Amino acid sequence: MLFWHVPAPNEALLVSGSRSREDDDLQFRIVTGHGCFVLPVKQRARTLSLALRESEIVEDCVTIQGVRLTIQAVAAFKVGDDPTSIANAARRFLTEQDRLEELVGRIFAGHLRSIVGALTVEQLIRERDLVAQEVKEASHSEMEKLGIVVDALQIQEIVDKSGYIDHLAAPHAAAVASQARIAAAQADREAVEKEQEAAALKAAYERETAIKVAGFAAETEQARASAAQAGPLAEARATQEVIEQQTALARRQAELADQELEATVRRPADAEAYRLRTLADAKRDQVKAEAEAGAYALLEHARSQAEANELRAASLRGGNQELIAANQLIDVLPALVEAAAKGLAGSSLTVLNGTSGLNEMLTGLVGQGLTIFEALKAATAHPADVPKQLSA
């Protein structure tokens, strides 16, 4: 409608020309959130923006150390929503709403210079939020009179044309740069180690793969070679078995031949040799016994002759020489017979005629003994001839 005015949600409708019923001190009516009638000619309606505004502040400040700094800050503010704030702002900025940011920025700049002048550069750098809060608190009373509510104040940048901040930050920057280089070197070393580990794992995998492939190839070739050699190997085994059987047969035949030789040749030969040795031993024992018997008979005969001679010597008392010879023969004859017996016993004589041959030999020995006896007997008559006859 032509006379019905409705303010926007972020606006306040100011109707002048009639006294306000809510507050007798106000010369205009404030309408927010709903519409109202404005009588033409008698009343006039104007709007005041309640929207959020932003003011950029760039101010040169000097710290307590005498260091000149350029502070760049931003303030977010708006006209308060309560009637008092709207009324205060309407009275001051209704016709200059487009210059509201500049005016508020100047107020903040003044308080900012005052607060920075009482701080050091280090405090300003470390405590930006505290500085912004102090500026808000310092300008609170003024902003309240202006009907302004400050939502936020933030220091965005501190510009140091003298280089103080740069020198102040140099040690830290160097330390940070050193740490950055160390961190980069550490990162590079770790990256190289990771790459080496990855390369080693890759090489190990490739080696294992190559070994497996080579193993598979070797197994395949072995299987092929085994398959190719299966026939010759089977034939060779069969030939080896035949050779082993033939060798066993030949060994058995040799054993049989040896047994046959043992039965037909060796054992009969050994038996014959044993028979001949036994016969020879028996013959030798027989000869020895006969020789001992003959020697014994000769000895007995000699003893009988000696006794006869002794008796003859006793009867011939006058013939001393004959007696002496007989005694000498008696003394010598046993030795002769014993010597002859020992000679026959230890000899390996072969008696060809058996017993008759042995008797002939013994008879010869006895005859020799009697010859010696006759020589001794004859010598009794001529004692001087005894040595000659004995030597003969």
Side-chain angles (χ1 to χ4, degrees), residues 235-253:
E235 184 178 356
R237 291 193 186 98
T239 304
Q240 183 178 2
E241 291 177 358
V242 171
I243 293 173
E244 290 177 355
Q245 294 295 329
Q246 292 177 351
T247 303
L249 179 59
R251 188 182 297 111
R252 181 59 180 166
Q253 291 176 351

Side-chain angles (χ1 to χ4, degrees), residues 29 43 49 80-82 89 92 135 140 146 158-159 166 175 191-192 199 204 224 257 278 317 344 354 368 371:
R29 182 161 52 112
Q43 295 178 339
S49 176
D81 295 331
D82 60 286
R92 292 172 175 80
V135 172
H140 177 69
L146 297 175
I158 300 174
V159 180
D166 294 336
V192 171
R224 291 177 180 174
T278 303
R317 297 296 181 183
L344 291 174
Q368 292 179 4
T371 300

